[in-house]
Amino acid sequence: YRKTYGLQTVTSSSGASTQRVAWVKVNFMSAMPFRLSTTKLEHEYFKFLDFIAEFEETTFQYSITNADGTATLYSAPPTPSATVKVTSESWIRMATELQAIRGTVSSIAVSLAFAVFATFIFTGDAFMAFMAMLSMLAIILAVVAILVALKVKFGIVEAISLTILVGISVDFSLHLAESFTRSHFTSRGVRGVDAVSRVGYPIVSAAMTTMSAVMPMLWCQVQVLVRFGQIIPLCIIMSLVYGFHFFLPMLMSFGPNVPGGGAGKWLCHVGK
């Protein structure tokens, strides 16, 4: 029974030793489904905390007859240390998922910062990196809007998928930006057409192969993989749409007119 209750040896003022129950473990079954969503699970968790607080405030009195025949009145619980602690595997899952979900914004911000920095390094143009950031923000907001419209519950899988989305969205935009920067034409419109003619087909081919590799996840038994198989193709499609119809038009309207440059400019300095 050592996993059910614990004994503690106490010594009285007269030197006599005895044992008392120090703690008791109680297992109970709740009516909560095991796969309850994180937000509902958090609500149930706070209900448990309220119940424990109310339980600990409840005291009762009992009397003990002394050796001389007098009675001493005691209150239970006798000490503040006699508190209730509740643990469950569901609470651990809830804390992990909430940490991932609530850290999504900061994770996306860090990923965006690195993506913008990479765009600036490979293009050598700060304004182009800024336009790439606007394009990535538009892609993320579009994907989130579609998930909300489809009434998809936001969980840990969706949080991880949105973080991965930053890497997918910057990939296509970075190829277009690099090709636009290295174009030898002087007109923005012609430079945009030149960029699409050189990297448009490889970008679309890469998107199709990635979606082809992800689509079999839709028939998986593990629901986490199924959700990835649904979200990642959506991210790729939005990246293509916004890359060709948002980011590229911005380059053709506000991009640099100077031929050459890009990563070759930085590598030239490194070579020297």
Side-chain angles (χ1 to χ4, degrees):
Y1 299 98
R2 64 181 60 184
K3 293 183 179 181
T4 304
Y5 64 86
L7 298 178
Q8 182 182 16
T9 302
V10 293
T11 304
S12 63
S13 57
S14 61
S17 298
T18 185
Q19 288 184 325
R20 71 177 184 90
V21 177
W23 55 266
V24 177
K25 178 181 177 181
V26 179
N27 295 326
F28 63 94
M29 183 179 295
S30 70
M32 294 184 305
F34 180 72
R35 291 300 179 185
L36 195 64
S37 64
T38 304
T39 53
K40 293 181 179 179
L41 196 60
E42 185 182 25
H43 177 70
E44 295 294 332
Y45 174 71
F46 285 125
K47 287 173 61 178
F48 265 100
L49 295 184
D50 293 338
F51 165 73
I52 292 173
E54 181 181 357
F55 178 78
E56 291 178 347
E57 292 176 357
T58 303
T59 59
F60 62 93
Q61 293 181 334
Y62 62 97
S63 61
I64 294 181
T65 304
N66 301 321
D68 56 359
T70 60
T72 303
L73 193 63
Y74 293 91
S75 295
T79 61
S81 61
T83 57
V84 180
K85 296 179 177 61
V86 178
T87 181
S88 171
E89 293 182 0
S90 299
W91 305 150
I92 300 175
R93 177 174 64 87
M94 175 198 69
T96 304
E97 293 187 1
L98 286 177
Q99 182 67 25
I101 294 172
R102 292 169 180 172
T104 302
V105 177
S106 58
S107 300
I108 291 177
V110 173
S111 300
L112 277 175
F114 276 95
V116 172
F117 178 73
T119 305
F120 172 72
I121 289 297
F122 283 98
T123 60
D125 192 293
F127 187 68
M128 186 174 293
F130 174 74
M131 289 189 290
M133 182 187 70
L134 294 180
S135 177
M136 287 183 285
L137 286 175
I139 295 171
I140 294 172
L141 293 176
V143 172
V144 172
I146 293 175
L147 294 179
V148 172
L150 296 177
K151 297 181 179 180
V152 176
K153 294 182 179 180
F154 193 80
I156 187 171
V157 179
E158 290 74 19
I160 297 175
S161 300
L162 289 180
T163 307
I164 297 175
L165 170 60
V166 178
I168 298 176
S169 61
V170 72
D171 193 19
F172 301 150
S173 300
L174 183 57
H175 285 302
L176 289 172
E178 172 67 10
S179 181
F180 184 92
T181 305
R182 295 178 63 86
S183 177
H184 296 284
F185 295 96
T186 57
S187 173
R188 293 190 181 98
V190 179
R191 288 162 68 86
V193 175
D194 181 49
V196 174
S197 65
R198 285 192 286 126
V199 299
Y201 181 76
I203 287 176
V204 175
S205 300
M208 296 302 295
T209 54
T210 304
M211 284 193 293
S212 301
V214 173
M215 292 300 288
M217 290 184 180
L218 296 175
W219 291 272
C220 290
Q221 296 296 324
V222 181
Q223 293 302 310
V224 174
L225 299 179
V226 174
R227 186 53 56 87
F228 270 116
Q230 295 171 346
I231 295 179
I232 292 181
L234 176 62
C235 298
I236 294 174
I237 293 173
M238 287 296 101
S239 299
L240 283 177
V241 171
Y242 277 87
F244 287 116
H245 299 286
F246 180 75
F247 179 64
L248 188 62
M250 284 199 302
L251 292 181
M252 298 171 71
S253 301
F254 309 105
N257 279 328
V258 181
K265 179 174 62 176
W266 298 103
L267 295 176
C268 181
H269 290 293
V270 174
K272 290 181 180 180

